Amino acid sequence: MFGIVRPCTHRLTDGLKTEWMAHLCGLCLALRADHGQFARVVTNYDGLIVSVLTEAQTGVTEAGRRKAGPCALRAMRTAPVARGEGARLAAAVSLVLASAKVRDHVADRDGLLARRPVAAAARRVARSWDKAGARTGRDLGFDTAVLVDAVDRQTGIEALAGPGTSLLAVTEPTETATAAAFAHTAVLAGRPGNAAPLAEAGRLFGRLAHLLDAVEDQAADTATGAWNPLTATGTSREEARRLADDALHGIRLALKDAEFADGKLAHVLLAHELRTSVDRAFGTTSCSHGTPGAGQGPVPGNPYAGPHGPVPGNPYGGDNPYGGSGPYGGGGPMGPGGPMGPGGLPPQFGGGAPQAPKPRGFLAGCAMFTWLFCTCQICCAKKYEGPWSRKKREGCCYDCDCGDGGCSGCDCGDCGCDCCCCPCDGC
């Protein structure tokens, strides 16, 4: 499961957490019901927002819920899950975009996809997903061709982009695709007046998705020589952050112009959790549930640590012979910057700069995803290795970057909401 909106369950009220899981499971089961078991690999956190927006406009109805059987990702518990046109639209959009991603990997000859038989099999999977998504889209009155066209244009735009190219020119296809999906939720809900504001919210959400993906992958892309929008256009992280903040503000304004029957979950995800996603991507927040690290202050109980760094004369500070700049510390000859490499090991025994693991190919990634899925690591593991990218990720139950036991630093005032939907009491 992937996506930029991954809410920490410590910040959601019990009711909103149940609703969020209902839409996540509803998307997964809609993929299975319409397109088979294998299609469930494209389940993602952002796709469920389409289902959330549809239900936010119609309100929760008895027909919009059903009781699902035990699932390994729910610790073998039953649960109410969303069903209906919103979940099916989310499934169709997820399939078509995943199909485009597979074709992109085939074109780049990534991993095992460099081999002709594997690439041919991947192309067949992509074609089947295209047809399945288009079929469901037609049933719902949604033309998935707009998504396919947007993704096809992306390759040409990236080929022409260079220093000085506007970053927004690169993000435009993603914006167009998400705008179309968000706007169609108004059609399904029978609220045509919401189409324009939701299209605007979708356009800006697509911009954010593209921006945050570029920010999070920039270091790895630089190391591997992969194409990255920020590097290719020469856009600074400061400018990317400004664009992200502008998009956040625009999404909140667009949501105010839309009419919802029950917009609590949609507001929390798109007004509050999206802000957290931006902070997480740019490294401006830290998880209080984790251990202290760089920039998080001194380790509790350290008698030689001051509030703003090492105390002068501290025998265990950074300038002592055993600290960060000493012969056995991180900056000395035995550390990462010295000839002995990390941990004081010479290069022939694993010293030197650590190498990022190579991404897996499509089929190898699918096999690893199946293993992670069946062993509940995607949901329950504190850390696991991404099945395709091999980047370290957090299970959705452990993605905690909020204050201890609840919501801290709530920005309700920034969005001007009444906070009837916010998990912060009295905010």
Side-chain angles (χ1 to χ4, degrees), residues 69-139:
C71 175
L73 294 181
R74 294 193 298 268
M76 301 309 295
R77 292 192 298 264
T78 61
V81 299
R83 66 176 177 181
E85 293 183 331
R88 296 187 67 204
L89 177 61
V93 170
S94 297
L95 273 175
V96 173
L97 295 182
S99 167
K101 190 68 174 177
V102 170
R103 291 199 303 272
D104 184 53
H105 283 306
V106 171
D108 292 341
R109 300 173 63 84
D110 291 336
L112 288 175
L113 294 176
R115 302 179 181 180
R116 289 185 178 179
V118 179
R123 278 192 290 265
R124 283 197 296 271
V125 171
R127 283 195 297 269
S128 69
W129 283 352
D130 265 339
K131 293 177 181 178
R135 184 171 60 251
T136 301
R138 283 194 299 271
D139 292 344

Side-chain angles (χ1 to χ4, degrees), residues 374-392:
C374 294
T375 57
C376 305
Q377 294 184 57
I378 287 179
C379 178
C380 304
K382 188 169 186 179
K383 290 283 185 181
Y384 70 92
E385 190 178 77
W388 286 278
S389 67
R390 304 193 71 174
K391 297 175 184 177
K392 292 298 182 183

Side-chain angles (χ1 to χ4, degrees), residues 34-249:
D34 287 350
H35 312 293
Q37 287 282 2
F38 185 66
R40 299 170 80 178
V41 300
V42 307
T43 302
N44 64 94
Y45 295 124
D46 293 346
L48 70 89
I49 293 178
V50 172
S51 178
V52 170
L53 283 174
T54 304
E55 188 174 84
Q57 297 171 83
T58 61
V60 180
T61 63
E62 186 176 348
R65 287 287 185 272
R66 74 175 181 88
K67 185 177 181 179
C71 175
L73 294 181
R74 294 193 298 268
M76 301 309 295
R77 292 192 298 264
T78 61
V81 299
R83 66 176 177 181
E85 293 183 331
R88 296 187 67 204
L89 177 61
V93 170
S94 297
L95 273 175
V96 173
L97 295 182
S99 167
K101 190 68 174 177
V102 170
R103 291 199 303 272
D104 184 53
H105 283 306
V106 171
D108 292 341
R109 300 173 63 84
D110 291 336
L112 288 175
L113 294 176
R115 302 179 181 180
R116 289 185 178 179
V118 179
R123 278 192 290 265
R124 283 197 296 271
V125 171
R127 283 195 297 269
S128 69
W129 283 352
D130 265 339
K131 293 177 181 178
R135 184 171 60 251
T136 301
R138 283 194 299 271
D139 292 344
L140 301 172
F142 179 66
D143 186 2
T144 58
V146 66
L147 307 183
V148 176
D149 175 69
V151 175
D152 288 344
R153 286 190 293 108
Q154 186 73 53
T155 303
I157 291 174
E158 290 179 358
L160 296 174
T165 301
S166 171
L167 187 59
L168 298 187
V170 178
T171 63
E172 182 273 324
T174 309
E175 295 178 22
T176 300
T178 50
F182 275 41
H184 197 69
T185 65
V187 177
L188 296 181
R191 289 181 180 263
N194 283 346
L198 290 183
E200 177 67 4
R203 183 179 68 83
L204 296 173
F205 181 85
R207 178 182 300 178
L208 267 179
H210 206 132
L211 280 174
L212 299 191
D213 183 66
V215 169
E216 291 178 338
D217 292 349
Q218 188 174 25
D221 288 343
T222 300
T224 59
W227 194 89
N228 183 279
L230 300 182
T231 305
T233 61
T235 304
S236 67
R237 290 176 71 92
E238 290 74 17
E239 174 64 10
R241 180 61 194 253
R242 186 190 68 80
L243 292 173
D245 288 339
D246 285 349
L248 281 171
H249 184 63

